[in-house]
Amino acid sequence: MEKDPLLDYRGQTLLAVAKTGSLTAAAKQLFITQPAVSQQLNAWEKELGFRLLDHQGKKVTLTPAAKRLVDYLNFLAHENQKMLDELKRQTAPLRLGATLSIGSFLLPQVLTEMIAQNRPVTTQIGNTQTLLNQIQRGELDAALVEGDFDHQRFDWEEIGLEPFALFGSQAIDRPVALPELFDYPLLIRESGSGTRQILEKWLQAQGSALTNFKQVIEIGSPATIITLLKDGVGISFMYRALVEDDLQSGKLFEWDLNELSIRHALYLVTAKNSFFKDQRHQLAKICRQVR
């Protein structure tokens, strides 16, 4: 049994006896002698003013009072561990994940502000599903994502809304209808990415699917997709913030698609009931300020 640095040694001894049901087994678990276990608990009984153990030959059982005390000590041990984990995270760098899209247009600004505030941070880039899995495994403290996720399984804060639109390398002055796009090569992100989830969900709402397009090219990098668009290859759906400079320079154009009007939420996500709650509020505030 791993020792709790915040729990009284006598409390740890009683927990060991409760777990093993034996003074001898508890002594072995704690790497002390059996007489030392007895002495510790006898002295604690006198200090507490009630018995902890009933002795029946070599067998011991917990008194009703001791059972209640053990429940309380287990609760304290659990809370102690959560507190220690929080304190360790406060002194260690924040492990922050971001999707590829957010990593391109928001993460640099967030990092600039965190560095200015002297906040240690490490970052990791991945698609939405990968980052959510890492949060659940405890490999990330928080992640900036834009894809759909189960809001009941995580704690989260909305940090903004971002326009999601259709882009190509040539200007089209008139609104276009969805069926007119099916002959164009469609450049899309890989499965698990937030932008692909948004597109697939929207297409489904229109009674269409990716299979309606004659040619679909899956690319894992937003930067590569943007380069191909500027080279005149195909069309793509993405966040406007990713191509803002190219729109201003005339290298890319936003196409007015009749049925498309999406402003999608961006989220800061942490594990459910994480002790990172206060830090999440602070980080969400930074995200909103730099947008």
Side-chain angles (χ1 to χ4, degrees):
M1 187 171 84
E2 187 175 347
K3 291 185 177 181
D4 183 341
L6 301 183
L7 197 64
D8 184 282
Y9 69 94
R10 296 170 300 184
Q12 295 187 52
T13 299
L14 180 61
L15 288 176
V17 173
K19 183 177 181 180
T20 63
S22 162
L23 296 178
T24 302
K28 289 181 179 179
Q29 191 177 82
L30 297 170
F31 301 103
I32 58 178
T33 64
Q34 187 271 328
V37 170
S38 297
Q39 290 170 8
Q40 287 180 14
L41 295 181
N42 288 338
W44 205 20
E45 284 180 331
K46 294 178 181 179
E47 186 175 333
L48 292 171
F50 56 83
R51 287 185 304 106
L52 296 172
L53 303 177
D54 286 327
H55 296 266
Q56 298 175 347
K58 294 184 178 180
K59 186 178 179 181
V60 296
T61 58
L62 300 181
T63 65
K67 291 178 181 178
R68 291 187 61 186
L69 181 57
V70 165
D71 288 341
Y72 180 65
L73 291 174
N74 279 321
F75 168 77
L76 284 181
H78 180 66
E79 291 298 302
N80 288 345
Q81 188 58 55
K82 289 196 294 185
M83 174 58 71
L84 288 172
D85 289 344
E86 179 188 16
L87 294 173
K88 289 175 183 178
R89 283 196 296 269
Q90 286 179 345
T91 56
L94 164 67
R95 299 170 301 169
L96 177 63
T99 62
L100 283 162
S101 295
I102 293 179
S104 298
F105 67 81
L106 178 59
L107 182 61
Q109 301 172 61
V110 172
L111 292 178
T112 297
E113 183 61 26
M114 293 186 71
I115 292 169
Q117 295 182 14
N118 234 358
R119 298 189 180 191
V121 60
T122 61
T123 61
Q124 187 162 330
I125 303 296
N127 65 39
T128 296
Q129 192 55 56
T130 297
L131 297 176
L132 295 177
N133 290 340
Q134 288 179 304
I135 285 179
Q136 290 192 305
R137 293 195 299 266
E139 297 169 1
L140 288 176
D141 298 312
L144 298 166
V145 304
E146 84 277 357
D148 292 331
F149 63 94
D150 186 347
H151 287 202
Q152 300 302 314
R153 294 177 62 188
F154 299 90
D155 286 337
W156 53 272
E157 293 188 42
E158 186 176 310
I159 57 174
L161 296 171
E162 188 62 37
F164 185 81
L166 170 65
F167 302 95
S169 62
Q170 58 181 340
I172 296 184
D173 296 330
R174 60 176 179 80
V176 296
L178 180 58
E180 297 178 60
L181 303 178
F182 294 153
D183 287 333
Y184 288 90
L186 176 65
L187 311 181
I188 63 169
R189 289 281 308 284
E190 78 285 355
S191 295
S193 76
T195 51
R196 177 162 175 163
Q197 289 176 0
I198 297 166
L199 175 59
E200 289 179 329
K201 187 175 181 179
W202 177 79
L203 287 173
Q204 185 179 27
Q206 307 306 313
S208 300
L210 293 176
T211 53
N212 289 112
F213 290 84
K214 290 185 177 179
Q215 189 176 14
V216 177
I217 301 98
E218 184 177 295
I219 301 171
S221 164
T224 301
I225 291 177
I226 293 169
T227 297
L228 289 171
L229 288 178
K230 290 191 290 187
D231 287 342
V233 179
I235 58 173
S236 189
F237 295 79
M238 63 179 64
Y239 292 111
R240 186 182 297 147
L242 285 169
V243 293
E244 202 69 61
D245 291 342
D246 295 312
L247 293 174
Q248 292 180 13
S249 67
K251 295 178 180 178
L252 289 179
F253 299 90
E254 181 175 341
W255 291 11
D256 184 3
L257 183 56
N258 283 335
E259 303 89 348
L260 181 63
S261 179
I262 297 177
R263 287 173 59 83
H264 199 270
L266 310 181
Y267 299 98
L268 176 62
V269 180
T270 60
K272 192 73 175 177
N273 299 321
S274 168
F275 261 51
F276 186 69
K277 180 178 180 180
D278 290 340
Q279 293 95 319
R280 187 184 71 240
H281 290 330
Q282 296 170 9
L283 182 55
K285 184 177 180 180
I286 290 175
C287 293
R288 297 184 189 107
Q289 287 174 341
V290 301
R291 278 184 49 75

